[in-house]
């Protein structure tokens, strides 16, 4: 077996075996999306498995959170603190491998996903945070903030309205640092997407202003790689790469069927799958050394990447001490000294003040001192007083401005704000 195929099949079989052991879970999505995940995680993703919180890492969101075994396999294989023993505990109480990925519980999980569409919009928030921080802190020769946000999104993600709102705003803002891979497998729980989801997805994303590509064969690693390279080159549009995959790839009787979606393959079918993929039946949970070596290269690469960044940041610190101090503070989620000094007091008076007016006053008093307090409203700013006075609008090519115009997209706004907060470096707010 070619080394690349060995690596991809390692993800497939390990994921299916852990679902089988748990007697519940979703094997199909990891098996179909394994090739794109392999290419992304071994050839592109900038991350440090031994220091998952490195600030300038690429962010990766598995928006289709039910496919969590895909993420856990990747985290384990690339060297995060997620040993095989945790994978054996998949879906067990108090394990680090719950049915859907949970932020704060498992190293390397950037956001909690499972409610379809949320991760899609969280990723847009992460990309916004990156653009804001880059515009605020980067200086010629000192690109200290410059990472991508990637996600794998599914049919369910694209059906949910929240992703429509977030996609529309991402296109408007020209978030060129956002790259989404669409697991285009034509299947959801009830069966074929023909039942309820027949619009042209690629045309829809083009209309949103995204850079759209299609990979016809989800097992074509070169085509996936080329598509990601050209997505990275398109810096003025978010990228949508529709990758035609097959749910449950490798399973002779379940591939391409809804039955591969949300239940274990079954002992017999797992055996047949291993045979079809040319995988040894024993031992279970085997990770071939050659494959592990490919994945674990991430540890040294990550260390080197972060090392280069740290020395750049050290030089930045010398050249721009004030900015560096501020960024340090923002990264640590600390508030500046005296942040509360200008807070207004509202003496009791019989008539009272409108709460939105009081809110606007407080917000502006805080915003004067807390420069990473940013946000806006879903088209209601004149009424709910969410604008920061004297600041411009955050728009494409004006990424350093603090007033956000979310448009009439409340649901998207909520998840985008969460993504900005999760990214770190910003204190976002939103009003409706
Ligand atoms: C907001 C929301 N609604 C419903 C569900 C339940 N659910 C989980 S997966 C799924 C369908 C998934 O289809 P798809 O996204 O195409 O995933 P695949 O079948 O390819 O694994 C549904 C409806 C959910 N997780 N989130």
């Amino acid at each position: 077996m070619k080394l690349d195929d060995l690596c991809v099949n390692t993800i497939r079989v390990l994921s299916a075996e852990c679902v089988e052991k748990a007697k519940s879970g979703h094997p199909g999505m990891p098996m179909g999306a394994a090739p794109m995940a392999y290419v992304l995680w071994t050839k592109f993703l900038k991350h440090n498995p031994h220091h998952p919180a490195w600030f300038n890492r690429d962010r990766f969101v598995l928006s289709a959170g039910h496919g969590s075994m895909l993420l856990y396999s990747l985290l384990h294989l690339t060297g995060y603190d997620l040993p095989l023993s945790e994978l054996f505990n998949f879906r067990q109480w108090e394990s680090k491998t719950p049915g859907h990925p949970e932020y704060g519980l498992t190293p390397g999980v950037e956001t909690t996903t499972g409610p379809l569409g949320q991760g899609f919009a969280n990723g847009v928030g992460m990309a916004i945070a990156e653009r804001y921080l880059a515009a605020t802190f980067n200086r010629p020769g000192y690109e200290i903030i410059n990472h991508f946000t990637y996600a794998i999104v599914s049919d369910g993600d694209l059906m949910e309205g929240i992703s429509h709102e977030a996609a529309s705003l991402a296109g408007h803002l020209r978030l060129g640092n956002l790259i989404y891979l669409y697991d285009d497998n034509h299947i959801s729980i009830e069966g074929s997407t023909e039942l309820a989801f027949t619009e042209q997805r690629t045309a829809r994303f083009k209309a949103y202003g995204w850079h759209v590509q299609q990979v016809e064969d989800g097992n074509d690693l070169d085509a996936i790689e080329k598509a990601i390279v050209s997505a990275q080159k398109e810096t003025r549009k978010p990228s949508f790469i529709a990758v035609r995959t097959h749910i449950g790839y490798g399973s002779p009787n379940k591939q391409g069927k809804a039955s591969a979606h949300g239940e274990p393959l079954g002992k017999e079918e797992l055996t047949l799958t291993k045979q079809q993929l040319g995988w040894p039946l024993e031992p279970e949970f085997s990770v071939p050394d050659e494959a592990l070596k490919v994945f674990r290269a991430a540890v040294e690469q990550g260390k080197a990447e972060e090392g280069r960044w740290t020395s750049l940041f050290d030089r930045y610190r010398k050249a721009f001490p004030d900015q560096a101090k501020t960024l340090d503070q923002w990264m640590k989620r600390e508030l500046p000294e005296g942040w509360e000094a200008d807070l207004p007091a509202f003496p009791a008076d019989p008539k009272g003040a409108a709460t939105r007016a009081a809110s606007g006053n407080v917000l502006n008093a805080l915003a004067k001192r807390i420069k990473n307090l940013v946000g806006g409203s879903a088209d209601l700013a004149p009424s709910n007083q969410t604008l920061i006075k004297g600041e411009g609008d955050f728009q494409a090519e004006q990424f350093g401005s603090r007033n956000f115009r979310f448009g009439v997209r409340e649901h998207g706004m909520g998840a985008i704000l969460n993504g900005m907060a999760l990214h770190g470096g910003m204190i976002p707010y939103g009003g409706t």
Side-chain angles (χ1 to χ4, degrees), residues 127-168:
I128 285 175
E130 192 272 354
R131 289 291 77 193
Y132 176 75
L133 296 170
T136 306
F137 291 104
N138 288 356
R139 298 287 180 272
Y142 295 90
E143 284 235 338
I144 45 172
I145 307 291
N146 66 345
H147 70 80
F148 288 100
T149 296
Y150 297 99
I152 294 182
V153 304
S154 66
D155 292 309
D157 286 310
L158 300 193
M159 283 189 243
E160 285 289 351
I162 191 169
S163 69
H164 298 226
E165 295 181 14
S168 162

Side-chain angles (χ1 to χ4, degrees), residues 29 66 114-116 154-156 160 183 185 187-189 247 261:
M29 188 270 175
H66 61 273
L116 290 161
S154 66
D155 292 309
E160 285 289 351
D183 178 30
N185 64 20
I187 291 288
S188 64
I189 292 183
I247 194 165
H261 165 87

Side-chain angles (χ1 to χ4, degrees), residues 2 4 39 43 52 54 71 74 100 138 142 144 174 215 223 240 270 295 306 363 428:
K2 271 176 37 194
D4 280 337
V39 171
K43 292 196 161 48
W54 168 38
L71 182 54
L74 292 164
H100 298 75
N138 288 356
Y142 295 90
I144 45 172
R174 300 185 161 275
V215 172
F240 180 80
L270 183 57
F295 286 110
E306 181 171 353
L363 192 66

